[in-house]
Amino acid sequence: MRYFFLPVIIIFILASSALASYREAFEKEFLFKSWGGEEPEVNACIDCHSSDIMKKEFQSVMQSWKRSWHYQNNVLCHDCHGGDYKDATMSMSHQRGFLGTPKYTEVPDFCGKCHIGILRNYLESGHGKALQATGKGPNCVTCHGSHNIQKANIEIINEGLCTKCHTYERAKIMKQALFATENKIRDIDKKLEDLKIEGIYVGDEKRELFSTQAEFRALFHTIDADLVKQRTDDFTRKLNVIDTKIKNSFNEIHFRKNFSAFLMLIFIGLSIVVSLLSKTYKD
Ligand code: HEC
Ligand code: HEC
Ligand code: HEC
Ligand code: HEC
Ligand code: HEC
């Protein structure tokens, strides 16, 4: 009978780990799919702009873009500039949707066709209003660059950049509020990874954290220090809820570990008793 249960247990363990890796593959495929799908095999924009015939001042564009976060996420030339990447002779014609190089004041709409929430925050902000009224506000490129755009973080808020047009005081207050929440997010993310290593499914918490983080990071673009402070408090509350859930999961893991150790001890104790008993019986 003993020998019957062993294979059953092994099959069960194998099946559940196969299920977990299937779930991970599924998440990768469908929940975090990158923007444009596969990179097309022929891309006239990239081919022609990489070639030696391109004028010198435009050659750095390709190099910058290849180092960018957009490149890694499959955001290609035509995704921003429009045009037809399949047809080299017509690719930069306006009939094929080519937009050309945006003017300084056109940049927010240019980027905002994909970053919709951020565009909304930006347009309502002091910066967006200043850009529209006087052309003096910073646009997206002022802070992020155009071709070598990297994953954003609060280090973009620095004295060198932010004092180009005004003092640093308000920027500093905002950076401090953002910093506190960002640390908390990083902390929770690390704990979730630890739980995942222990084999606990954390998909739901991950998604919750991810949406909170996205909402939070877009918030900077309001450049409203009071609003950022107030929302930081809200986010901290939300994050604390996730944190409590994580703590409970860890407690459960410890309990289970202690409990199996306890069972193991009882088992060993019983075996000793049984073997002693059988010995005395034989003697
Ligand atoms: C994320 C959007 C984005 C992507 C992707 C992108 N560009 Fe641009 N590009 C811009 C913006 C914005 C400008 C305007 C630059 C500025 O305001 O400094 C620009 C400007 C240019 C210019 C004019 C540069 C100048 O100095 O006048 C060229 C040429 C160009 N892009 C080519 C390309 C090529 C080729 C690709 C693909 C390898 C590409 N771009 C990908 C956003 C993009
Ligand atoms: C056959 C070569 C070729 C192809 C294909 C090509 N380009 Fe260009 N592109 C050029 C050249 C040459 C220039 C420089 C023109 C000049 O001298 O100002 C240029 C300039 C540009 C500029 C800056 C000038 C402007 O009009 O705003 C952008 C942006 C640009 N290309 C984007 C693209 C995109 C996007 C594609 C694909 C949809 C593309 N190009 C396909 C050769 C090409
Ligand atoms: C005054 C500088 C500034 C301007 C102007 C600006 N940004 Fe940002 N952006 C930042 C900073 C700083 C962060 C990082 C905020 C954080 O990490 O909390 C950021 C973050 C981002 C992010 C990442 C947010 C996320 O969800 O992960 C994107 C995307 C972005 N900006 C796009 C844009 C676009 C599009 C525009 C123009 C409409 C723009 N930015 C204008 C400074 C700027
Ligand atoms: C065709 C759609 C598209 C356009 C147009 C576009 N982006 Fe993006 N952008 C993306 C995608 C997709 C990502 C990668 C996913 C992500 O990180 O959110 C990204 C990522 C970013 C990030 C990093 C976000 C992070 O996680 O920290 C910044 C910053 C950014 N874009 C700024 C810009 C700016 C500035 C422009 C205009 C010059 C622009 N984008 C135009 C699609 C676009
Ligand atoms: C290209 C010029 C320029 C740059 C660069 C710039 N700003 Fe501004 N900023 C403005 C203008 C114009 C205003 C609106 C007029 C004012 O309040 O001074 C403004 C206003 C502000 C305000 C007050 C908004 C309000 O509603 O009261 C804050 C906060 C701010 N900027 C933060 C920043 C930060 C943070 C950076 C750096 C990441 C930065 N700015 C970079 C031009 C700029």
Side-chain angles (χ1 to χ4, degrees), residues 35 69-70 73 75 79-80 110-111 113-115 140-141 144-145 149-152 217:
W35 187 261
W69 181 243
H70 280 136
N73 283 276
V75 179
D79 288 322
C80 281
F110 191 81
C111 307
K113 64 184 178 219
C114 297
H115 299 290
C140 320
V141 170
H144 294 287
I149 288 175
Q150 298 303 321
K151 261 183 96 68
R217 292 180 70 211

Side-chain angles (χ1 to χ4, degrees), residues 49 58 61-62 65 70 76-77 80-81 101-102 110 141 146-147:
H49 277 263
F58 284 0
V61 165
M62 189 60 65
W65 173 70
H70 280 136
L76 311 181
C77 317
C80 281
H81 289 287
T101 305
F110 191 81
V141 170
S146 53
H147 294 116

Side-chain angles (χ1 to χ4, degrees), residues 235-274:
F235 287 131
T236 312
R237 261 193 295 281
K238 259 181 159 178
L239 292 171
N240 282 341
V241 173
I242 303 180
D243 206 16
T244 311
K245 273 196 217 161
I246 294 176
K247 283 208 182 91
N248 290 341
S249 301
F250 272 124
N251 287 342
E252 209 176 294
I253 291 174
H254 286 144
F255 173 75
R256 263 194 254 152
K257 277 191 180 152
N258 289 342
F259 189 65
S260 26
F262 171 70
L263 283 182
M264 191 58 101
L265 279 179
I266 287 191
F267 181 73
I268 293 169
L270 275 178
S271 336
I272 293 172
V273 170
V274 168

